[in-house]
Amino acid sequence: MTSDPVASASARRWAERLAERRERLSAAATPLVEGQLRRIVGMLIEAEGLKAAMGSRCLIETSDGGWLETEVVGFSGERLQLMPTGELAGINPNARVIAVPAEPGVPVGDGLLGRVIDASSRPLDGKGPLQVSQRRPLIAKPLNPLGREPIREPLDVGIRALNGLLCVGRGQRLGLFAGSGVGKSVLLGMMTRFTQADIIVVALIGERGREVKEFVDHILGPEGMARAVVVATPADHAPLMRLRAAWVATAIAEHFRDEGRQVLLLMDSLTRFAQAQREISLAVGEPPATKGYPPSVFARLPALVERAGNGPAGGGSITAFYTVLAEGDDQQDPIVDSARAILDGHIVLSRHLAEAGHFPAIDIEQSVSRAMNDIIDKPHRQLVRQFRQTWATYQQNRDLIAIGAYQRGSDPRIDEAIRLQPVMAAYLQQDTDEAVDVLLAGDQLDQLFPPQA
């Protein structure tokens, strides 16, 4: 099995530090305490003979003289329960286990712009070491909810349906609910290029490795990457790394927010984060609760999401979009249901619309922005309400209309819905290289429903 050269180099540096530590302790006649590996069950490793705190890092010696990095995820009596950050190949029975100092934090700063890194903050783009000097904790203290600035200012995301009918606010946290293959990655790429934000942080968690390169090269492109940071952990990485990638991306976004900048955080996907937490929790023995998900999963979701949003008044903000995979297009999936409850709104992508060639495939009937009423005026709200009512009227009667069972003149509301259906459908659609700002989206919506004489 071919080892990761970047990971191997990191392990060698830790080995060199351990050798120096042994020399110092030997000179002081103080023995170095080392533990031993006792059991491996699936991805869970148990070691005894040393003490380490939750979240600490430990190295396990491999048969080729290298070191495997692990993290403490639990305890069982006097034994530490560890999860690896890589493959378990080369681990021998009773292998040595050594606790190492905690990482000083996540590297942050403008040197990250235009870079692609993994969950351990190692560069993946071949552009050399990161040119940053600042670090911040992986998991910072939460902000005082009463100290956050309210969501009052609209954010231009460049998507007509969102700017005109859902009205995203700066500092809002929304979910993008979709099954597979309905265009969520393309929609994220459009928002990345068109959104009026200073910094864009993209977390690609549990995606196929091929999709990571396609997203960076084709969907983001040079224009999007110029102001973006991408944290990528593909599906073949350990669950611990997929979990950490979400925290790393959020910590980077928090840094730029604390500097007073407007940040767009795109996380694809929140479901993969939850699944990684489920794998870890089940491995350490936590009983499943809802459809195989342990309770800790539903505790970690709001802990992650609540870190986004506005900072103190006059400061920066993190506007976050989290994709949520509706497996089998099931909107009652436990992760879908939980995410819907903790986010400030949800955008649902419809497979039916996607199959009909309607892009972006936003189901406007099921999509909601909870901050919309606080950021738009009364005339705009009336236009949105009128659009939704007219669209819903057509959808409720489309079968009768399609088979010719409806007679024109029977109901003025249905007649109006039939007349406006083509222009409303055109309003909801948009080319991937077309940007529609907030003012234009509002003007075009106003033209659909001119004032009655």
Side-chain angles (χ1 to χ4, degrees):
M1 181 177 296
T2 303
S3 60
D4 183 354
V6 178
S8 300
S10 176
R12 283 197 300 272
R13 288 194 296 269
W14 279 114
E16 291 172 359
R17 295 178 189 176
L18 289 169
E20 294 175 0
R21 184 181 176 191
R22 287 196 186 93
E23 292 178 1
R24 292 195 303 268
L25 291 171
S26 177
T30 304
L32 177 66
V33 177
E34 298 179 351
Q36 284 187 321
L37 186 151
R38 289 307 185 196
R39 191 172 70 151
I40 298 179
V41 180
M43 296 292 290
L44 184 67
I45 303 170
E46 291 189 355
E48 64 180 9
L50 73 166
K51 293 183 179 180
M54 285 285 292
S56 299
R57 302 173 67 192
C58 293
L59 295 180
I60 301 176
E61 189 174 25
T62 59
S63 57
D64 60 359
W67 299 90
L68 172 67
E69 181 183 338
T70 64
E71 183 175 308
V72 180
V73 295
F75 307 95
S76 178
E78 295 296 323
R79 293 185 176 184
L80 297 181
Q81 294 179 325
L82 312 173
M83 290 286 286
T85 60
E87 292 293 335
L88 289 172
I91 300 297
N92 291 326
N94 301 320
R96 289 192 301 163
V97 183
I98 301 173
V100 296
E103 281 288 319
V106 180
V108 292
D110 288 352
L112 289 174
L113 297 180
R115 302 302 302 269
V116 182
I117 62 176
D118 67 5
S120 296
S121 304
R122 296 187 295 248
L124 296 175
D125 49 16
K127 297 181 180 179
L130 300 177
Q131 302 299 320
V132 293
S133 57
Q134 303 179 62
R135 290 183 176 268
R136 67 176 293 128
L138 180 65
I139 301 179
K141 294 181 179 179
L143 294 175
N144 184 341
L146 297 182
R148 290 178 181 261
E149 186 173 16
I151 300 173
R152 294 289 183 268
E153 183 181 350
L155 177 70
D156 182 6
V157 296
I159 312 297
R160 178 167 43 230
L162 301 184
N163 284 340
L165 299 173
L166 293 175
C167 307
V168 179
R170 194 176 296 279
Q172 192 172 355
R173 299 158 302 187
L174 292 103
L176 193 60
F177 297 79
S180 58
V182 295
K184 67 179 185 307
S185 296
V186 176
L187 183 59
L188 287 178
M190 293 173 65
M191 288 190 289
T192 302
R193 294 192 302 273
F194 302 150
T195 298
Q196 299 299 313
D198 301 324
I199 304 293
I200 298 168
V201 181
V202 182
L204 301 177
I205 303 170
E207 294 295 313
R208 292 182 287 272
R210 171 185 60 81
E211 291 182 331
V212 173
K213 183 172 179 58
E214 288 182 355
F215 189 91
V216 172
D217 292 346
H218 303 300
I219 297 179
L220 271 178
E223 180 183 354
M225 279 301 298
R227 54 178 178 149
V229 183
V230 178
V231 183
T233 305
D236 59 343
H237 285 215
L240 192 64
M241 302 303 287
R242 283 181 267 134
L243 196 69
R244 186 185 295 176
W247 298 109
V248 169
T250 305
I252 293 172
E254 285 178 317
H255 165 77
F256 290 116
R257 178 188 64 189
D258 293 346
E259 288 190 335
R261 304 200 216 183
Q262 310 304 323
V263 182
L264 175 66
L265 173 62
L266 304 176
M267 188 170 294
D268 186 13
S269 70
L270 193 65
T271 303
R272 304 299 188 206
F273 171 85
Q275 290 173 345
Q277 178 64 42
R278 177 176 64 179
E279 292 179 47
I280 295 173
S281 299
L282 293 177
V284 299
E286 185 178 358
T290 305
K291 291 189 177 180
Y293 286 94
S296 62
V297 173
F298 303 101
R300 298 301 289 274
L301 286 176
L304 176 70
V305 169
E306 283 295 325
R307 291 175 59 183
N310 284 331
S317 69
I318 301 175
T319 306
F321 286 85
Y322 301 91
T323 67
V324 183
L325 300 177
E327 298 182 5
D329 296 320
D330 180 12
Q331 294 297 319
Q332 303 306 317
D333 177 89
I335 301 302
V336 172
D337 198 44
S338 178
R340 189 187 293 114
I342 62 178
L343 293 170
D344 301 324
H346 50 273
I347 302 164
V348 178
L349 299 187
S350 165
R351 185 172 302 278
H352 173 74
L353 292 176
E355 291 173 346
H358 180 120
F359 292 103
I362 299 174
D363 188 334
I364 202 65
E365 289 184 278
Q366 296 191 56
S367 303
V368 173
S369 172
R370 292 183 178 135
M372 183 178 68
N373 290 336
D374 296 327
I375 59 178
I376 61 174
D377 55 22
K378 184 175 180 180
H380 193 168
R381 284 198 297 271
Q382 292 175 340
L383 287 172
V384 173
R385 186 180 303 112
Q386 189 172 358
F387 186 103
R388 284 179 171 271
Q389 290 173 345
T390 306
W391 180 267
T393 298
Y394 182 87
Q395 299 303 321
Q396 291 165 5
N397 296 275
R398 64 180 302 165
D399 291 339
L400 293 176
I401 298 170
I403 64 176
Y406 174 75
Q407 298 295 321
R408 288 182 180 270
S410 301
D411 189 327
R413 295 182 303 109
I414 301 179
D415 293 342
E416 180 74 356
I418 295 173
R419 183 182 69 84
L420 291 175
Q421 172 62 19
V423 291
M424 288 193 298
Y427 183 87
L428 294 174
Q429 298 180 65
Q430 185 174 333
D431 290 335
T432 58
D433 57 353
E434 175 190 6
V436 180
D437 61 29
V438 172
L439 293 178
L440 181 57
D443 290 342
Q444 292 176 344
L445 181 62
D446 189 53
Q447 293 170 13
L448 290 178
F449 304 99
Q452 300 295 325

